[in-house]
Structures are given as structure tokens and as C-alpha cells.
Amino acid sequence: MSSNQPASTGKAGVADVAAMAGPVVDLVAGIKPIVIDETRGFWEGTAAEELRVQVCGACGHKQLPGGPCCRECLSDQLSWERASGRGTLFSFTIVHKAMHPAFAARVPYVLADIQLDEGPILTSNLTDIEPDEVAMNLLVEVWFDEPDRDAFGTQFRLPKFKPWRPDELRVH
Amino acid sequence: MTISGRTAVAGVGVTTFGRLAGRSAWSLQAEAVRNALADAGLTKDDVDGLLTEPQFGEPLLLHGHVLGRMLGLKTYYLSTKSIGGATAISLVQEAAMAIDNGLCEVAVCVFGDNAKTGLPMLFGLAQMGRGQADDIAFGMAGGAAMEARSAMRYRHEFKVSDEMFGSVAIAFRDHATRNPNAQYREPLMMEEYLAAPFIAEPFRRYDCAVTTDGAVAVVVTSAERARDLAKPPVYVAGMGQGHNLDALKDPTHYTHFAGARSSARAFEMAGVATDDVDVAELYDCFTSTVLITIEDYGFCKKGEAGPFALEGNLQLGGELPMNTSGGLLSEGDLTGWNHVAEGVRQIRGESTSQVEGAEVCAVSGHGGFQAAHATLVLTKEPSR
């Protein structure tokens, strides 16, 4: 880089490096999702409080996380479809020791693998339940955490799950 | 005709394991290579192949280039690889294939890290989270939170008790009491195991591998050349790999790893059955990993490894002595490289928990979000 060039327009200028510091830290050591082309439909859905699965137009396979092609038939005829938002707790752990400082204030928390009614397994958190009441095969439904943005500005809301109690619906 | 018995491990080198403040990962790698060459009775000028796994603190692209330059090597074969806990075995396999196909003659495989005292693992952890589709956003950080969900499902489906998990940690600790390089050398009692704090349920402290600084290097050469070197050859009799690349996104992979496919290939190549295995060094990042691998390998039927362990069968004198250096749970977590070193010592008769007359050793590597699995069968004789 020549010295007479304004730093703000140089590819590796000082100002640019400083401006990149936030996103770089997020990318290297952060915990936010990093929205890429393959997962954009999923995260854009969460911003609209809609849980989505990627569906193959060729064979009908439904998958998460999103990819560049169908994992069953390699077709690139993919689209995003709204999911029911309900599923079953396939497995879980209650994390007591934070392995990343960002989670130190949150322990203990439930890291949960939810098998969606549509089939794919989504790793998330289970909330609105005491850790010692968490049981395998619990029926759960999605809710969306506060709006946030990834390192490149894409809006998202983390999809989290809480117990789904169908009989509550009958009260009304 | 396969590659079975045509190559051999001629040397292993380890550093001191433990809290080695001030030692760079590079210096540990260099020391392990020096020790391995001395063990084999070779010099640096004999080495024409280098295969490396980068340290986690600085997961450098082109790691092998840098280490090769630091060691002043003139190589004909160079490889750097990262497939999690299966990397050590997969590199030994790759070295054997390169040698058998004439690409090089003496290959050094090496890994070393200062995870205990060096650069924080944060970088590596964040990257590992990325590999699993943003799961880190929900707190999927670190191996325990990863594998605990497999353990929880396994426990649920097969009624595995806390004491069964504990008996794995206790057996390997018993072996570690005789290994001066082990991080934990005091015997572990069930009460102490159960009283230890949870890390990620069902894992308590002693269900998890113990972090250490250190390095391991393995010298591989042709069987013919190995017979003329300082130590008796330890033959690479069987090799296999298998991968569950969608890992915990597939409900069948929680309780069944790719070890069944990997071990079937390796045992067939070696011409051995499970009954022929005298000693095993199974990847033990967590206690549940060991139980599931025992079943995948066919040493027990599905769901029977827990009771098998509880009966004391994993200890020296038991039916299948295992992780005789203490393993990752008690000797230290060098991502499976120390399992390869201990497998070689068992076949040579050099272990601090030696299985009398050991002639066949099965070694497993498992990792990369439970996706990758590799198996090595080491033998005293070139063919069976």
C-alpha cells in the first residue's frame, strides 16, 4: 500500500483493520451464528419468527443445516419451507462448566437436540423447565429469542424450545 | 494381497506430559521427533516423509511445511491433516501407504501441543463450533457438551448406570498409577468419581480426558527395513476407517459410531477376530466413547459393554485390558497419539502395565464431532 493513499480506502489500511476488528473477533472467538449462503434462508426465517427446513425439489428430502445441495440426491433444487415449530427432545445435556466465557453466566443450561416433526435434528436450548425435570422424548415447541445481528449485519433470532403441552390449548 | 504386515512402526518418541510452562508446541514436536528417531536407531537424514497434525492453539495451514523446515528435513512425502481424534491413526495409515507405494522410505508422524499452558483453546473451539452449523450459539462449546448428548441417549437406550461409566475411568486410572508420565496417578475410587462435579451431564470430571502439554512422534518404515533397526518391528497389520459425517444430526449415530465399519476393515485386513486381540487402546475422550467403541468393535454386544466394564474386564488381568498407559482419561489428552505409542510399547513388551505375551493390539481413534473413526491393528508377527 502506498503511503499517499488514504487509509480508509486502502485494502489493508489501518482504519479498515480497526473497522474489521469487531467482526474478526466475532468470527474467530465469538459465539454468534455466521450466516452463509447455505444457511441464509434458515436465519432469515428466524428473524421473521419462522422456523424453516431446507427442502429438496427433486426428492423431497428435508434437511438442516442448509447446504449447497440435497444430502440424499445432490440436487441443487432447494427451497426453504416453514416447519411446524414442534418436535421431540431426542437427546440433551445439562452443561455445568462453561467452555467458552460467553456462557459462564448461563450455566447450568440445557443443550438440546430437537428432532423436528419434519425429521431433521436441530441443536438448540431447552428453556422454561427445571433442569432436573428434563426428560427424553419430551414434546417441545419453538420460540424466538431477542433480535440480533451476525458479524456481517444479517438479522436473526435464536430459535429456542420450551415444553409443548397440548392440553394447555384446550383451556381456551 | 493387501498392505498388511508390509510396513512397521520402528520408533516412538514421547515428551514429558504435564504442565510444561514455557515450552512451545514446536519445541515439544521437535523433542518427540528426536526421541522417536533415537528409539528407532535412525537419524534425521534417514527421514524422507513427514506427516503432521497441527496444534489446536495455532491451527496453522501448512503446518507440515513449517515443522519440516524447523527440523531441516528433505522430504519426498509431506502431509498435514486434521480429522479430529482419528488423525493420529489416519496419518500412520497414510505413512504406511506412502511407504508401501514407494513415495518415501522412513516417515515420521507427529503431533504436539501445549494446550495446558499455551495459547488458549478459544480460537480452536470457536472454529470447531462453526463446523457444527452454528451450534456454538446455543452453548455447544467444547467436547464434553458435544459427546454428552451421545452419552445421554446411550444411557437412556441401554440403561447404562453411572457406576458403569465410572468403572471405565477407574480401570484406566489403575493403569496410570504405574505410568510416571500420567497426569493422574492416584487410584480412583467410585465414591470420588461420583462426588466429582458435573461438566456436562452425564459427564462428571473423571469422565472427561485430562488436558496436558506434550508431544508424540511415530516412525514408520517398511517391514524389511524395520527388521534391521534398534527395536523389534511392530507390524501395521490392519487399517480401517469409517465416518459418520453428519454425526449428531442423524439419530442413529448417537449410540453407534462408525467404529463398526472401521474395525471390520482393519480386523479383516489383519486376519484377526475379536478373540485374537490381546490388548486394546481405545480412544477415550469420554468414558461413554469407550463403551460404545467396545460394542462397535464387536468385543461385546450392544448394551453389554457397561456390565463388562463394571466386572473389571478392562483392567490388567481382565478379559480385555485396555488403555494401559491410563489413556486420555488419566495419562493425558494428546488426541489419541499416546494410544498409538502405548500400542507399540505393548507389542514390544515395554508397557508399565504390560499384558503378558501381547501379540495383537487394536487401537482406535475417534473424533471430529463424533464423525471420524480410524482403527489400527498392531502385531508382533508380520502375518497371521
Side-chain angles (χ1 to χ4, degrees), chain B residues 275-359:
Chain B
D275 284 352
D276 297 319
V277 175
D278 301 309
V279 55
E281 310 295 339
L282 300 189
Y283 201 84
D284 56 339
C285 44
F286 302 99
T287 49
S288 62
T289 317
V290 175
L291 296 179
I292 293 174
T293 305
I294 289 171
E295 295 165 2
D296 284 346
Y297 276 41
F299 293 120
C300 289
K301 291 198 179 91
K302 209 71 206 167
E304 292 180 2
F308 182 74
L310 197 57
E311 288 161 11
N313 284 311
L314 311 188
Q315 258 156 296
L316 198 59
E319 207 168 298
L320 185 63
M322 187 176 293
N323 294 17
T324 44
S325 68
L328 311 188
L329 290 174
S330 280
E331 186 185 38
D333 184 358
L334 284 165
T335 70
W337 286 82
N338 43 333
H339 282 319
V340 176
E342 176 66 6
V344 170
R345 287 190 292 256
Q346 279 290 346
I347 298 301
R348 286 176 175 175
E350 294 177 346
S351 172
T352 50
S353 292
Q354 183 62 43
V355 173
E356 281 308 313
E359 294 194 0

Coordinates of all heavy atoms in Angstrom, one line a residue, chain B residues 275-359:
Chain B
D275 N -11.5 -62.1 19.4 CA -10.9 -63.0 20.4 C -9.3 -63.0 20.3 O -8.7 -63.4 21.3 CB -11.3 -64.5 20.2 CG -12.7 -64.7 20.7 OD1 -13.3 -63.8 21.3 OD2 -13.3 -65.8 20.4
D276 N -8.8 -62.6 19.1 CA -7.4 -62.6 19.0 C -6.7 -61.4 19.6 O -5.5 -61.3 19.7 CB -7.0 -62.6 17.5 CG -7.5 -63.9 16.8 OD1 -7.3 -65.0 17.4 OD2 -8.0 -63.8 15.7
V277 N -7.5 -60.4 19.9 CA -7.0 -59.1 20.4 C -6.6 -59.3 21.9 O -7.4 -59.6 22.7 CB -8.0 -58.0 20.2 CG1 -7.5 -56.7 20.9 CG2 -8.3 -57.8 18.7
D278 N -5.3 -59.1 22.1 CA -4.8 -59.3 23.5 C -4.9 -58.0 24.4 O -5.0 -58.1 25.6 CB -3.3 -59.6 23.4 CG -3.0 -60.9 22.6 OD1 -3.7 -61.9 22.9 OD2 -2.2 -60.9 21.7
V279 N -4.9 -56.9 23.7 CA -4.9 -55.6 24.4 C -5.4 -54.5 23.5 O -5.2 -54.6 22.3 CB -3.5 -55.2 25.0 CG1 -2.4 -55.2 23.9 CG2 -3.5 -53.9 25.7
A280 N -6.2 -53.6 24.0 CA -6.7 -52.5 23.2 C -6.4 -51.2 23.7 O -6.3 -51.0 25.0 CB -8.3 -52.7 23.1
E281 N -6.2 -50.2 22.9 CA -6.0 -48.8 23.2 C -7.1 -48.1 22.5 O -7.0 -47.8 21.3 CB -4.6 -48.3 22.8 CG -3.4 -49.2 23.2 CD -3.3 -49.3 24.7 OE1 -3.7 -48.4 25.5 OE2 -2.6 -50.3 25.2
L282 N -8.2 -47.8 23.2 CA -9.4 -47.2 22.6 C -9.5 -45.8 22.9 O -9.4 -45.4 24.1 CB -10.7 -48.0 23.0 CG -10.7 -49.5 22.6 CD1 -12.1 -50.1 22.8 CD2 -10.3 -49.8 21.2
Y283 N -9.9 -45.0 22.0 CA -10.0 -43.5 22.1 C -11.0 -43.2 23.2 O -12.1 -43.6 23.2 CB -10.4 -42.9 20.8 CG -10.1 -41.4 20.8 CD1 -8.9 -41.0 20.3 CD2 -11.0 -40.5 21.2 CE1 -8.5 -39.7 20.3 CE2 -10.7 -39.1 21.1 CZ -9.5 -38.7 20.7 OH -9.1 -37.4 20.7
D284 N -10.5 -42.5 24.2 CA -11.3 -42.3 25.5 C -11.4 -40.8 25.8 O -11.0 -40.4 26.9 CB -10.7 -43.1 26.6 CG -9.3 -42.8 26.9 OD1 -8.6 -42.3 26.0 OD2 -8.8 -43.1 28.0
C285 N -11.8 -40.0 24.9 CA -12.1 -38.6 25.2 C -13.1 -38.5 26.3 O -13.0 -37.6 27.2 CB -12.5 -37.8 24.0 SG -13.8 -38.7 23.0
F286 N -14.0 -39.5 26.4 CA -15.0 -39.6 27.4 C -15.3 -41.1 27.7 O -15.0 -41.9 26.8 CB -16.3 -38.9 27.0 CG -16.1 -37.5 26.7 CD1 -16.0 -37.0 25.4 CD2 -15.9 -36.5 27.7 CE1 -15.7 -35.7 25.1 CE2 -15.6 -35.2 27.4 CZ -15.5 -34.8 26.1
T287 N -15.8 -41.4 28.9 CA -16.0 -42.8 29.3 C -17.0 -43.5 28.3 O -16.8 -44.6 28.0 CB -16.5 -42.9 30.7 OG1 -17.6 -42.0 30.9 CG2 -15.4 -42.6 31.7
S288 N -18.0 -42.7 28.0 CA -19.1 -43.3 27.1 C -18.5 -43.7 25.8 O -18.9 -44.7 25.1 CB -20.2 -42.4 26.9 OG -19.8 -41.2 26.3
T289 N -17.5 -43.0 25.3 CA -16.9 -43.2 24.0 C -16.3 -44.6 24.0 O -16.4 -45.4 23.0 CB -15.8 -42.2 23.7 OG1 -16.2 -40.9 24.1 CG2 -15.4 -42.2 22.3
V290 N -15.7 -45.0 25.1 CA -15.1 -46.3 25.2 C -16.1 -47.4 25.2 O -16.0 -48.4 24.4 CB -14.3 -46.4 26.6 CG1 -13.7 -47.8 26.8 CG2 -13.2 -45.4 26.6
L291 N -17.2 -47.3 25.9 CA -18.2 -48.3 26.0 C -18.8 -48.5 24.6 O -19.0 -49.7 24.1 CB -19.3 -48.0 27.0 CG -18.8 -47.9 28.5 CD1 -20.0 -47.5 29.4 CD2 -18.2 -49.2 28.9
I292 N -19.1 -47.4 23.9 CA -19.8 -47.5 22.6 C -18.8 -48.2 21.6 O -19.1 -49.0 20.8 CB -20.3 -46.2 22.1 CG1 -21.4 -45.7 23.0 CG2 -20.7 -46.2 20.7 CD1 -21.9 -44.3 22.7
T293 N -17.5 -47.8 21.7 CA -16.5 -48.4 20.8 C -16.3 -49.9 21.1 O -16.2 -50.7 20.1 CB -15.1 -47.6 21.0 OG1 -15.4 -46.2 20.7 CG2 -14.1 -48.1 20.0
I294 N -16.3 -50.3 22.3 CA -16.2 -51.7 22.6 C -17.3 -52.5 21.9 O -17.1 -53.6 21.4 CB -16.3 -51.9 24.2 CG1 -15.0 -51.4 24.9 CG2 -16.5 -53.4 24.5 CD1 -15.1 -51.4 26.4
E295 N -18.5 -51.9 21.9 CA -19.6 -52.6 21.2 C -19.5 -52.5 19.7 O -19.7 -53.5 19.0 CB -20.9 -52.0 21.7 CG -21.2 -52.2 23.2 CD -22.3 -51.3 23.8 OE1 -22.8 -50.5 23.0 OE2 -22.5 -51.4 25.0
D296 N -19.1 -51.4 19.2 CA -19.0 -51.2 17.8 C -17.9 -52.2 17.2 O -18.1 -52.7 16.1 CB -18.4 -49.8 17.4 CG -19.5 -48.7 17.5 OD1 -20.7 -49.1 17.6 OD2 -19.1 -47.5 17.6
Y297 N -16.9 -52.5 18.0 CA -15.8 -53.4 17.6 C -16.2 -54.8 17.7 O -15.4 -55.7 17.3 CB -14.5 -53.1 18.4 CG -13.7 -51.9 17.8 CD1 -14.3 -50.8 17.3 CD2 -12.3 -52.0 17.7 CE1 -13.6 -49.7 16.8 CE2 -11.6 -50.9 17.2 CZ -12.2 -49.8 16.8 OH -11.5 -48.8 16.2
G298 N -17.3 -55.1 18.4 CA -17.8 -56.5 18.5 C -17.2 -57.2 19.7 O -17.3 -58.4 19.8
F299 N -16.5 -56.5 20.6 CA -16.0 -57.1 21.8 C -17.1 -57.5 22.7 O -17.0 -58.5 23.5 CB -15.0 -56.2 22.5 CG -13.7 -55.9 21.8 CD1 -13.4 -54.6 21.4 CD2 -12.9 -57.0 21.4 CE1 -12.2 -54.4 20.8 CE2 -11.7 -56.7 20.7 CZ -11.4 -55.4 20.4
C300 N -18.2 -56.8 22.6 CA -19.4 -57.0 23.4 C -20.6 -56.8 22.5 O -20.5 -56.0 21.5 CB -19.6 -56.1 24.6 SG -18.5 -56.4 25.9
K301 N -21.8 -57.3 22.8 CA -23.0 -57.0 22.1 C -23.4 -55.6 22.5 O -23.0 -55.1 23.6 CB -24.1 -58.0 22.4 CG -23.9 -59.4 21.8 CD -25.2 -60.1 21.8 CE -25.0 -61.5 21.2 NZ -24.7 -62.5 22.3
K302 N -24.3 -55.0 21.7 CA -24.8 -53.6 22.0 C -25.5 -53.6 23.4 O -26.3 -54.5 23.7 CB -25.8 -53.2 20.9 CG -25.8 -51.7 20.7 CD -24.5 -51.2 20.1 CE -24.3 -49.7 20.4 NZ -22.9 -49.3 20.0
G303 N -25.0 -52.7 24.2 CA -25.6 -52.6 25.5 C -24.9 -53.4 26.6 O -25.3 -53.3 27.8
E304 N -23.9 -54.2 26.2 CA -23.3 -55.1 27.2 C -21.9 -54.6 27.6 O -21.3 -55.2 28.5 CB -23.2 -56.5 26.6 CG -24.6 -57.1 26.5 CD -24.5 -58.6 25.9 OE1 -23.4 -59.1 25.7 OE2 -25.6 -59.1 25.8
A305 N -21.4 -53.5 27.1 CA -20.1 -53.0 27.4 C -20.1 -52.5 28.9 O -19.1 -52.6 29.6 CB -19.6 -52.0 26.5
G306 N -21.2 -51.8 29.3 CA -21.2 -51.3 30.6 C -21.1 -52.3 31.7 O -20.1 -52.2 32.5
P307 N -21.9 -53.4 31.7 CA -21.7 -54.5 32.6 C -20.3 -55.1 32.5 O -19.7 -55.5 33.5 CB -22.8 -55.5 32.3 CG -23.9 -54.6 31.7 CD -23.1 -53.5 30.9
F308 N -19.8 -55.3 31.3 CA -18.5 -55.9 31.0 C -17.4 -55.0 31.7 O -16.5 -55.6 32.4 CB -18.2 -55.9 29.5 CG -17.0 -56.5 29.0 CD1 -16.8 -57.8 29.0 CD2 -15.9 -55.6 28.5 CE1 -15.6 -58.4 28.6 CE2 -14.7 -56.2 28.0 CZ -14.6 -57.6 28.1
A309 N -17.5 -53.7 31.6 CA -16.5 -52.8 32.3 C -16.7 -52.9 33.8 O -15.7 -53.0 34.5 CB -16.7 -51.4 31.8
L310 N -17.9 -52.9 34.3 CA -18.2 -53.0 35.7 C -17.6 -54.2 36.4 O -17.2 -54.2 37.5 CB -19.7 -52.9 36.0 CG -20.2 -52.5 37.4 CD1 -19.6 -51.2 37.8 CD2 -21.7 -52.5 37.4
E311 N -17.5 -55.3 35.6 CA -16.9 -56.6 36.1 C -15.4 -56.5 36.2 O -14.8 -57.5 36.5 CB -17.4 -57.7 35.2 CG -18.8 -58.1 35.4 CD -19.3 -59.0 34.2 OE1 -18.5 -59.4 33.4 OE2 -20.6 -59.1 34.1
G312 N -14.8 -55.4 35.8 CA -13.3 -55.3 35.9 C -12.6 -55.8 34.7 O -11.4 -56.0 34.7
N313 N -13.3 -56.0 33.6 CA -12.6 -56.6 32.4 C -11.7 -55.7 31.6 O -11.0 -56.2 30.8 CB -13.7 -57.2 31.4 CG -14.3 -58.5 32.0 OD1 -13.6 -59.4 32.4 ND2 -15.6 -58.5 32.0
L314 N -11.8 -54.4 31.9 CA -10.9 -53.5 31.2 C -9.5 -53.4 31.9 O -8.6 -52.8 31.3 CB -11.5 -52.1 31.0 CG -13.0 -52.1 30.5 CD1 -13.4 -50.6 30.2 CD2 -13.2 -53.0 29.3
Q315 N -9.4 -53.9 33.1 CA -8.2 -53.8 33.8 C -7.2 -54.9 33.5 O -7.6 -55.9 33.0 CB -8.5 -53.8 35.3 CG -8.5 -52.4 35.9 CD -9.4 -52.3 37.2 OE1 -10.6 -52.5 37.1 NE2 -8.7 -52.1 38.3
L316 N -5.9 -54.6 33.7 CA -4.9 -55.6 33.6 C -5.3 -56.8 34.3 O -5.7 -56.8 35.5 CB -3.6 -55.0 34.1 CG -2.3 -55.7 33.7 CD1 -2.1 -55.7 32.2 CD2 -1.1 -55.1 34.4
G317 N -5.3 -58.0 33.7 CA -5.8 -59.2 34.3 C -7.3 -59.5 33.9 O -7.7 -60.7 34.1
G318 N -8.0 -58.6 33.4 CA -9.3 -58.8 32.9 C -9.4 -59.4 31.5 O -8.3 -59.7 31.0
E319 N -10.6 -59.5 31.0 CA -10.7 -60.2 29.7 C -10.1 -59.4 28.6 O -9.6 -60.0 27.6 CB -12.2 -60.5 29.5 CG -12.5 -61.6 28.6 CD -13.9 -62.0 28.6 OE1 -14.5 -62.4 29.7 OE2 -14.6 -62.0 27.5
L320 N -10.2 -58.1 28.7 CA -9.7 -57.2 27.6 C -9.0 -56.0 28.2 O -9.6 -54.9 28.2 CB -10.9 -56.8 26.6 CG -10.4 -56.0 25.4 CD1 -9.6 -56.8 24.5 CD2 -11.7 -55.5 24.7
P321 N -7.8 -56.1 28.6 CA -7.1 -55.0 29.2 C -7.0 -53.9 28.2 O -6.7 -54.1 27.0 CB -5.7 -55.6 29.5 CG -5.8 -57.0 29.4 CD -7.0 -57.3 28.5
M322 N -7.2 -52.7 28.7 CA -7.4 -51.6 27.8 C -6.8 -50.3 28.3 O -6.8 -50.1 29.5 CB -8.9 -51.4 27.6 CG -9.4 -50.4 26.6 SD -11.2 -50.5 26.5 CE -11.5 -52.1 25.8
N323 N -6.3 -49.4 27.4 CA -5.7 -48.1 27.8 C -4.7 -48.3 28.9 O -4.9 -47.7 30.0 CB -6.9 -47.2 28.1 CG -7.7 -46.9 26.8 OD1 -7.5 -47.6 25.8 ND2 -8.4 -45.8 26.8
T324 N -3.7 -49.0 28.7 CA -2.8 -49.5 29.7 C -1.8 -48.4 30.1 O -1.0 -48.6 31.0 CB -2.0 -50.7 29.1 OG1 -1.6 -50.5 27.8 CG2 -2.9 -52.0 29.2
S325 N -1.8 -47.2 29.4 CA -1.0 -46.1 29.9 C -1.8 -45.2 30.8 O -1.3 -44.2 31.3 CB -0.4 -45.3 28.7 OG -1.5 -44.7 28.0
G326 N -3.1 -45.5 30.8 CA -4.0 -44.6 31.5 C -4.9 -43.8 30.5 O -5.9 -43.2 30.9
G327 N -4.6 -43.8 29.3 CA -5.4 -43.2 28.2 C -5.5 -41.7 28.3 O -4.8 -41.1 29.1
L328 N -6.4 -41.2 27.5 CA -6.7 -39.8 27.6 C -7.3 -39.4 28.9 O -7.1 -38.2 29.4 CB -7.6 -39.3 26.4 CG -7.3 -39.8 25.0 CD1 -8.2 -39.1 24.0 CD2 -5.8 -39.6 24.6
L329 N -8.0 -40.3 29.5 CA -8.7 -40.0 30.8 C -7.7 -39.8 31.9 O -8.0 -39.0 32.8 CB -9.6 -41.1 31.2 CG -10.9 -41.3 30.3 CD1 -11.7 -42.5 30.7 CD2 -11.8 -40.0 30.4
S330 N -6.6 -40.5 31.9 CA -5.6 -40.4 33.1 C -4.2 -40.1 32.7 O -3.5 -39.4 33.4 CB -5.6 -41.7 33.9 OG -6.7 -41.7 34.8
E331 N -3.7 -40.6 31.5 CA -2.4 -40.2 31.1 C -2.3 -38.8 30.6 O -1.5 -38.0 31.0 CB -1.8 -41.2 30.0 CG -0.3 -40.9 29.7 CD 0.2 -41.7 28.6 OE1 -0.5 -41.9 27.6 OE2 1.4 -42.1 28.7
G332 N -3.3 -38.5 29.7 CA -3.3 -37.1 29.2 C -3.9 -37.1 27.8 O -3.8 -38.1 27.0
D333 N -4.5 -36.0 27.4 CA -5.2 -35.9 26.1 C -4.3 -35.4 25.1 O -4.1 -34.2 24.9 CB -6.4 -34.9 26.3 CG -7.3 -34.9 25.0 OD1 -6.9 -35.5 24.0 OD2 -8.3 -34.2 25.0
L334 N -3.7 -36.3 24.4 CA -2.9 -36.0 23.2 C -3.6 -36.5 22.0 O -3.0 -37.1 21.0 CB -1.5 -36.5 23.3 CG -0.7 -35.6 24.3 CD1 0.6 -36.2 24.7 CD2 -0.4 -34.2 23.6
T335 N -4.9 -36.4 22.0 CA -5.8 -36.7 20.9 C -5.5 -38.0 20.2 O -5.6 -38.1 19.0 CB -5.9 -35.6 19.8 OG1 -4.6 -35.5 19.1 CG2 -6.2 -34.2 20.4
G336 N -5.2 -39.0 21.0 CA -5.0 -40.4 20.5 C -3.6 -40.7 20.1 O -3.3 -41.9 19.9
W337 N -2.7 -39.8 20.0 CA -1.3 -40.1 19.6 C -0.7 -41.0 20.7 O 0.1 -41.9 20.4 CB -0.5 -38.8 19.4 CG -0.9 -38.1 18.2 CD1 -2.0 -37.3 18.0 CD2 -0.3 -38.2 16.9 NE1 -2.0 -36.9 16.6 CE2 -1.0 -37.4 16.0 CE3 0.9 -38.9 16.5 CZ2 -0.6 -37.3 14.6 CZ3 1.3 -38.8 15.1 CH2 0.5 -38.0 14.2
N338 N -1.0 -40.7 22.0 CA -0.4 -41.5 23.0 C -1.0 -43.0 23.0 O -0.3 -43.9 23.5 CB -0.5 -40.9 24.4 CG -1.9 -40.3 24.7 OD1 -2.6 -39.8 23.8 ND2 -2.3 -40.2 26.0
H339 N -2.2 -43.2 22.4 CA -2.7 -44.5 22.3 C -1.8 -45.3 21.3 O -1.6 -46.5 21.5 CB -4.1 -44.5 21.8 CG -5.1 -44.2 22.8 ND1 -5.0 -44.7 24.1 CD2 -6.2 -43.4 22.8 CE1 -6.0 -44.3 24.8 NE2 -6.8 -43.5 24.1
V340 N -1.4 -44.7 20.2 CA -0.5 -45.4 19.2 C 0.8 -45.7 19.9 O 1.3 -46.9 19.8 CB -0.3 -44.5 18.0 CG1 0.7 -45.2 17.0 CG2 -1.6 -44.2 17.3
A341 N 1.4 -44.8 20.6 CA 2.6 -45.0 21.3 C 2.5 -46.2 22.3 O 3.4 -47.1 22.3 CB 3.1 -43.8 22.0
E342 N 1.4 -46.2 23.0 CA 1.2 -47.3 24.0 C 1.0 -48.7 23.3 O 1.4 -49.7 23.8 CB 0.1 -47.0 25.0 CG -0.3 -48.0 26.0 CD 0.8 -48.3 27.0 OE1 1.9 -47.6 27.0 OE2 0.7 -49.3 27.8
G343 N 0.3 -48.6 22.2 CA 0.1 -49.9 21.5 C 1.4 -50.5 21.0 O 1.6 -51.7 21.1
V344 N 2.3 -49.6 20.6 CA 3.6 -50.1 20.2 C 4.4 -50.7 21.4 O 5.0 -51.7 21.3 CB 4.4 -48.9 19.5 CG1 5.9 -49.3 19.3 CG2 3.7 -48.5 18.2
R345 N 4.3 -50.0 22.5 CA 5.0 -50.5 23.7 C 4.5 -51.8 24.1 O 5.2 -52.7 24.6 CB 4.9 -49.4 24.9 CG 5.7 -48.2 24.7 CD 5.7 -47.3 25.9 NE 4.4 -46.7 26.2 CZ 4.1 -45.4 26.0 NH1 5.0 -44.6 25.5 NH2 2.9 -45.0 26.3
Q346 N 3.1 -52.0 24.0 CA 2.6 -53.3 24.4 C 3.1 -54.4 23.6 O 3.5 -55.5 24.1 CB 1.0 -53.3 24.3 CG 0.3 -52.6 25.5 CD 0.4 -53.4 26.7 OE1 0.7 -54.6 26.7 NE2 0.1 -52.8 27.9
I347 N 3.2 -54.2 22.3 CA 3.7 -55.3 21.4 C 5.2 -55.6 21.6 O 5.6 -56.7 21.5 CB 3.4 -54.9 19.9 CG1 1.9 -54.8 19.6 CG2 4.0 -56.0 18.9 CD1 1.1 -56.1 19.9
R348 N 5.9 -54.5 22.0 CA 7.3 -54.7 22.3 C 7.5 -55.3 23.7 O 8.7 -55.7 24.0 CB 8.0 -53.3 22.3 CG 8.2 -52.7 20.9 CD 8.8 -51.4 21.1 NE 9.2 -50.7 19.9 CZ 9.7 -49.4 19.9 NH1 9.8 -48.8 21.1 NH2 10.0 -48.9 18.8
G349 N 6.5 -55.2 24.5 CA 6.7 -55.7 25.9 C 7.3 -54.6 26.8 O 7.9 -54.9 27.8
E350 N 7.1 -53.3 26.5 CA 7.7 -52.2 27.2 C 6.7 -51.4 28.1 O 7.1 -50.4 28.6 CB 8.3 -51.2 26.2 CG 9.5 -51.7 25.4 CD 10.0 -50.7 24.4 OE1 9.3 -49.7 24.1 OE2 11.1 -50.9 23.9
S351 N 5.4 -51.8 28.2 CA 4.5 -51.0 28.9 C 4.7 -51.1 30.4 O 5.2 -52.1 30.9 CB 3.0 -51.5 28.6 OG 2.1 -50.8 29.4
T352 N 4.3 -50.1 31.1 CA 4.3 -50.1 32.6 C 3.1 -50.9 33.1 O 3.1 -51.2 34.3 CB 4.3 -48.7 33.2 OG1 3.2 -47.9 32.6 CG2 5.6 -48.0 32.9
S353 N 2.2 -51.3 32.3 CA 1.1 -52.2 32.6 C 1.1 -53.2 31.5 O 0.1 -53.3 30.7 CB -0.3 -51.5 32.7 OG -0.2 -50.6 33.8
Q354 N 2.1 -54.0 31.4 CA 2.3 -54.9 30.3 C 1.3 -56.1 30.4 O 1.2 -56.8 31.4 CB 3.8 -55.4 30.3 CG 4.1 -56.4 29.1 CD 3.9 -55.6 27.8 OE1 4.3 -54.5 27.6 NE2 3.3 -56.3 26.8
V355 N 0.7 -56.4 29.3 CA -0.1 -57.6 29.1 C 0.8 -58.7 28.7 O 1.5 -58.6 27.6 CB -1.2 -57.4 28.1 CG1 -2.0 -58.7 27.8 CG2 -2.2 -56.3 28.5
E356 N 0.9 -59.7 29.5 CA 1.9 -60.8 29.2 C 1.7 -61.4 27.8 O 0.6 -61.8 27.5 CB 1.8 -61.9 30.3 CG 2.5 -61.5 31.6 CD 4.0 -61.1 31.4 OE1 4.7 -61.8 30.6 OE2 4.4 -60.1 32.0
G357 N 2.7 -61.5 27.0 CA 2.6 -62.1 25.7 C 1.8 -61.4 24.7 O 1.3 -62.1 23.8
A358 N 1.5 -60.1 24.9 CA 0.7 -59.4 23.9 C 1.2 -59.5 22.5 O 2.4 -59.1 22.3 CB 0.5 -58.0 24.4
E359 N 0.4 -60.0 21.6 CA 0.9 -60.1 20.2 C 0.0 -59.3 19.2 O 0.4 -59.0 18.1 CB 0.9 -61.6 19.7 CG 1.9 -62.4 20.5 CD 2.2 -63.7 19.8 OE1 1.5 -64.0 18.8 OE2 3.1 -64.5 20.3

